Amino acid sequence: MARSAVSALLILLGCLLVPVSVLTVWVHDIVLDTDRYVATVAPLAKDPAIQNTAVEQVSQAVDIRHNSREVTADIASWLRAHGLPERAAETIEGLAPQLDSALDQAVRKVAAHIVRSEQFPAVWTGANRAAHTAVVGALTGKGGGPVGVEGHAVTLNVGAAVERVRQQLVDAGLPAVTGIPDIHQRLVLFHSDRLDTIRRSARLLDLAGNWLPALTVTLGGTGVLLAHRRRRALARAARGTGLASLPLAAALVVGRRYYLDHVPTGVLSREAASVLFDTVVRFLRVTVLTVLVLGVVVALGAYLVGPGRLPSTVRGRAEILADGAARWGVAHGMSTGRAGTWTVDHRRGLTTGVLLVPVAVFALWNHPTVLTVLFLVLILLAALAVIALLAATGRSGAPGRGG
């Protein structure tokens, strides 16, 4: 009785830790991993919503319209000194707004050219890669650099893009921009009034990332091994794992809506905020779906090896098909030699070994996905089919059965 209670408790604890473990893997291996972080955010440089936001930010940074009134006033003064009528001079001064508009269009045109060309992805990717340490700092509240924390926002310095726009304006014949001081324009990557809470949570999840997933698997595995009916315990653990991933999936949906509803439109457009959120949590969503599918697959497998009517029928039909294939092979002169009889004698051990191989491969796979689970299932089914065929050949009295 005590053994069963301990088994159930360990399985329950393991299931409850599943969503937390998934979060720790995402934070530790994705958010705080340089290569994966860069690979995650790199596509954003070519997203239209992000590009539009970048054009707006860069255009505001390279703002030279304040010089237009001075330029028209200087021209009017010079013309007055050379006898131009006052009304004509005032007309020249009144051209400042039109000059503002022309300069603004020129800046936006060059900024759009930079942001939508191959230059901006290089700037974007380079800044994010160089700023990986600062990203960690943004989450932990330490450090600085291109990525930093400003109030309730995590920002990325796009000063390199601003400098390129300014240089192209100079090359295009607008030397007035050379007087603009160096600008460290920052593009908002994330905005939340709960940023402090998020940073504290990220720090804890990062610390737990090295041991919590292993602890979760150990608790669940130990609970299954201690159970009197291990197959049923495995099925319960698998179902619990799948169910435990659902609250995290729901939290992602709720979190996305909350985030979009609380991003000020003056900070980031809704379209840009949507694509930014979806990109950053993409691997987390994949992991949640993978855990859900894995739980369903393992639970289904545990059910099919059980004593129920449907599992017995499925296994019986499989054996009938294997026997039919073996008889067809014998009739056409095909022989497996001693492999068939050896498989019959060692089928249980072979089956156990074949089941353990995909488990080990999955455990060692770097960031498995749903496709990984399905691929391993197909390999497992193929291996079980081979074992069934060899065993059927051994049972059928095929040539070479006894030697």
Side-chain angles (χ1 to χ4, degrees), residues 39-229:
T40 299
V41 301
L44 292 176
K46 294 186 177 181
D47 185 89
I50 295 296
Q51 288 181 342
N52 291 336
T53 300
V55 169
E56 183 67 25
Q57 296 284 346
V58 172
S59 298
Q60 292 178 3
V62 192
D63 189 353
I64 60 176
R65 289 175 296 173
H66 66 279
N67 294 319
S68 60
R69 187 168 298 278
E70 297 178 8
V71 171
T72 55
D74 291 342
I75 294 175
S77 297
W78 184 84
L79 291 176
R80 286 191 187 95
H82 288 76
L84 186 72
E86 182 63 27
R87 179 170 295 182
E90 292 176 353
T91 301
I92 296 294
E93 289 180 333
L95 293 176
Q98 287 78 6
L99 183 57
D100 276 341
S101 177
L103 291 175
D104 181 60
Q105 291 179 12
V107 169
R108 288 183 177 275
K109 183 176 180 180
V110 174
H113 174 73
I114 292 290
V115 170
R116 295 187 173 94
S117 70
E118 292 301 322
Q119 300 178 53
F120 184 67
V123 171
W124 176 272
T125 301
N128 277 283
R129 180 173 292 280
H132 177 252
T133 301
V135 172
V136 178
L139 292 174
T140 59
K142 301 177 181 179
V147 176
V149 178
E150 296 181 357
H152 299 302
V154 177
T155 61
L156 174 67
N157 191 342
V158 292
V162 174
E163 181 58 33
R164 293 193 182 195
V165 171
R166 183 167 56 179
Q167 185 58 47
Q168 286 205 9
L169 291 173
V170 173
D171 296 340
L174 292 173
V177 298
T178 58
I180 300 177
D182 291 337
I183 299 171
H184 300 286
Q185 182 70 18
R186 293 187 176 272
L187 178 65
V188 174
L189 297 177
F190 180 80
H191 185 280
S192 174
D193 54 2
R194 297 187 177 182
L195 184 58
D196 290 338
T197 302
I198 294 174
R199 282 157 47 188
R200 287 194 296 270
S201 301
R203 184 184 307 161
L204 292 174
L205 291 173
D206 182 35
L207 292 174
N210 290 318
W211 55 268
L212 188 57
L215 175 62
T216 302
V217 174
T218 301
L219 288 173
T222 303
V224 171
L225 293 176
L226 287 177
H228 292 289
R229 298 179 177 180

Side-chain angles (χ1 to χ4, degrees), residues 9-30:
L9 178 61
L10 291 177
I11 292 175
L12 176 61
L13 290 176
C15 291
L16 292 177
L17 287 177
V18 165
V20 184
S21 297
V22 170
L23 280 175
T24 62
V25 170
W26 176 65
V27 171
H28 187 269
D29 293 348
I30 303 296

Side-chain angles (χ1 to χ4, degrees), residues 343 381-391:
T343 301
L381 292 177
L384 292 176
V386 171
I387 292 175
L389 285 172
L390 288 173

